[in-house]
Amino acid sequence: MLRFPMDDNQIEVPPSFLALFTSPSGYRLTQPMPFVRERYELCEDLAQMLTEQASTALFKTGGSERDVLASL
């Protein structure tokens, strides 16, 4: 039975994001996990803010999603 060290951080970084910080061999991270997790949290926060802005712009303009995204 494999056992992994306990990690108090509950944020799970998806494999697609981990791939950005993985060595070409695919077996090691090129940055420490706390750094990768911090970057992931930042990207998630930015995505949430942009989603809110886009939703507001879509409601105000009544335009298409394509037009709203092009204007951001």
Side-chain angles (χ1 to χ4, degrees):
M1 175 185 208
L2 292 174
R3 292 187 181 227
F4 297 99
M6 288 296 291
D7 188 0
D8 291 338
N9 197 312
Q10 295 181 356
I11 295 173
E12 291 186 35
V13 180
S16 57
F17 193 85
L18 284 174
L20 298 171
F21 298 94
T22 302
S23 65
S25 66
Y27 293 108
R28 306 189 104 149
L29 288 175
T30 57
Q31 297 291 329
M33 190 59 180
F35 175 82
V36 174
R37 197 174 277 124
E38 184 179 311
R39 294 296 294 245
Y40 176 70
E41 287 183 67
L42 176 64
C43 290
E44 277 294 306
D45 290 344
L46 287 171
Q48 289 297 322
M49 288 184 344
L50 285 173
T51 300
E52 289 173 21
Q53 283 185 339
S55 294
T56 301
L58 184 62
F59 177 76
K60 284 182 179 178
T61 64
S64 71
E65 289 180 359
R66 182 181 297 253
D67 294 337
V68 170
L69 292 173
S71 70
L72 293 178

